[in-house]
Amino acid sequence: MAHTDLQIPVNNNFSFDECLWFLNRNFDDCLHRVSADSVRKALLIDQSPVLLEISMNGQNLRVQLLKGKANEQTKSVIRQYVADWFDLAADISAFYTLLARHKSLAYMPEAFKGLRLIGIPDLFEALAWPIIGQQINLPFAYRVKRRFVEKYGTSIFYENVFYYIFPSFETVAHAAQEDLHQMQFSRKKAEYIIGLARAFISGEISKQKLAGIPDFISRQKALTSIRGIGIWTANYALMKSLNERSCIPYGDAGLLNALMNHKIISKKKDSEAVNKFFKKFAGWESYLVFYLWRSLAPTEKERLMQTPATEIISL
DNA sequence: CTCCAGGTATTTT
DNA sequence: AAAATACATGGA
């Protein structure tokens, strides 16, 4: 029997290759698997696991269901998921116009053309992941995340590979702080993650509830009232999970480095200059942050230089 | 050895 | 109100 096969149209300024490039960057992310022209991802739909393979088919995104069943409702959930993940609903042409006006960012519309803000539709993941990554370097953060996901997440086995799904808050709510600490979470982070999971259990927070709060400041406050979530994580989650447009993760180390690289600020503590800069991009702050993060990734040439010789030979 | 990583809560000035 | 500190670990 043939796989379920969905076609999803995309609008202007969408490049699947740029999105794939971002997903693949230089990190070992355990939650998707990128190949030359497609990405595979497992997710739960209504408690049942499915495995998607996404690729480009002419002008459409093509989504194949490699594993799992799809009725009409499942298909609609998958369409929504993919649209959220790749921010397909956005029209970013106005953002490109603003970039083009800026002396040191004018190269971006061409260099990163069609890159969309890659989301994290699961709100629990969008909050738990930045807690894991707080104040540690990213390669280490991804290692910790992998241990966490492999222990508490579910997986789909397909063609000899396990595809993992981020743990549910139901599972994490019952995790032991000591077990997380053994996985090299700090004791505080272990406590925050479990507390966060329990806040989801109790209904104190949910994606629907958060999305229903009418103003931005109140949404931020709803998040920062949870222990372990500061203004940085709140903005990160609103940007990545609710696809909000005006989120600035204040104090973000990578963001400040990117602003220094582009000579937009000359000292990291100059929050005045940071705010002034973002004012010119009102309504596009999230995209601007995302593109600045993108600018931090090593170029293709640098990546090759970093690749150990043995790996090149084995290719 | 020191400093800093896509920070936050807590304690101390 | 602002500044210092602990936290886990690893790479520069």
Side-chain angles (χ1 to χ4, degrees):
Chain A
M1 189 167 124
H3 289 135
T4 298
D5 197 336
L6 304 174
Q7 305 289 324
I8 304 179
V10 299
N11 59 8
N12 283 340
N13 293 316
F14 176 81
S15 163
F16 187 57
D17 284 342
E18 276 296 330
C19 294
L20 275 191
W21 195 97
F22 181 83
L23 287 171
N24 207 22
R25 283 182 294 168
N26 43 347
F27 301 115
D28 173 37
D29 196 321
C30 56
L31 295 176
H32 54 257
R33 200 176 166 85
V34 175
S35 61
D37 53 9
S38 68
V39 57
R40 289 179 176 180
K41 181 169 184 68
L43 59 148
L44 284 182
I45 297 182
D46 236 4
Q47 311 298 332
S48 39
V50 300
L51 178 63
L52 308 181
E53 180 174 277
I54 306 172
S55 57
M56 210 62 194
N57 180 25
Q59 294 302 302
N60 290 332
L61 267 186
R62 177 188 189 194
V63 184
Q64 288 178 274
L65 199 62
L66 300 182
K67 214 162 177 184
K69 286 182 288 192
N71 55 31
E72 283 312 307
Q73 190 181 344
T74 310
K75 287 182 190 172
S76 135
V77 174
I78 291 173
R79 284 176 189 281
Q80 187 61 51
Y81 184 89
V82 172
D84 287 347
W85 193 18
F86 293 101
D87 199 24
L88 295 181
D91 175 359
I92 59 174
S93 54
F95 172 54
Y96 281 5
T97 304
L98 291 175
L99 283 177
R101 277 188 207 147
H102 193 281
K103 191 168 48 171
S104 50
L105 303 180
Y107 74 97
M108 285 186 166
E110 194 53 43
F112 309 144
K113 190 174 175 55
L115 174 65
R116 294 300 173 90
L117 205 164
I118 305 296
I120 303 177
D122 173 3
L123 180 63
F124 176 57
E125 179 188 343
L127 289 164
W129 161 232
I131 290 174
I132 294 173
Q134 280 168 16
Q135 194 51 22
I136 54 179
N137 60 63
L138 279 174
F140 177 53
Y142 277 95
R143 284 205 295 282
V144 174
K145 172 167 124 172
R146 176 178 286 280
R147 286 189 207 117
F148 176 71
V149 168
E150 290 181 353
K151 179 165 170 80
Y152 297 107
T154 53
S155 65
I156 294 178
F157 189 65
Y158 182 79
E159 287 178 352
N160 271 337
V161 175
F162 284 101
Y163 293 88
Y164 282 92
I165 299 169
F166 197 81
S168 69
F169 55 79
E170 289 91 345
T171 305
V172 178
H174 297 107
Q177 195 183 323
E178 262 318 296
D179 290 346
L180 292 182
H181 183 247
Q182 282 199 338
M183 286 182 236
Q184 296 177 296
F185 283 69
S186 68
R187 288 181 200 285
K188 286 288 185 195
K189 284 185 186 177
E191 186 188 316
Y192 298 156
I193 298 265
I194 294 168
L196 174 68
R198 292 181 179 167
F200 274 89
I201 294 273
S202 74
E204 181 190 340
I205 181 168
S206 71
K207 188 166 179 177
Q208 191 178 18
K209 195 169 162 185
L210 186 63
I213 300 174
D215 71 290
F216 182 54
I217 302 294
S218 302
R219 288 194 294 278
Q220 286 181 329
K221 283 190 174 151
L223 290 174
T224 54
S225 70
I226 299 169
R227 274 176 58 81
I229 298 177
I231 191 66
W232 175 81
T233 306
N235 279 300
Y236 182 90
L238 290 169
M239 167 195 304
K240 299 283 275 190
S241 199
L242 273 67
N243 298 27
E244 292 210 26
R245 297 294 174 222
S246 298
C247 306
I248 306 170
Y250 286 99
D252 180 273
L255 172 62
L256 292 174
N257 283 336
L259 292 174
M260 298 278 283
N261 292 345
H262 289 86
K263 307 210 184 306
I264 290 163
I265 58 172
S266 52
K267 327 189 276 269
K268 290 195 178 181
K269 341 189 265 184
D270 193 350
S271 54
E272 194 74 10
V274 175
N275 284 328
K276 194 176 160 201
F277 166 68
F278 273 103
K279 279 218 172 79
K280 289 182 275 197
F281 291 85
W284 293 103
E285 293 90 337
S286 303
Y287 257 90
L288 185 50
V289 169
F290 192 71
Y291 270 53
L292 287 165
W293 281 338
R294 168 66 181 82
S295 75
L296 295 169
T299 63
E300 203 54 37
K301 198 191 248 178
E302 285 164 336
R303 293 177 74 199
L304 288 175
M305 308 257 296
Q306 286 171 4
T307 308
T310 50
E311 281 189 36
I312 292 175
I313 289 162
S314 73
L315 290 176

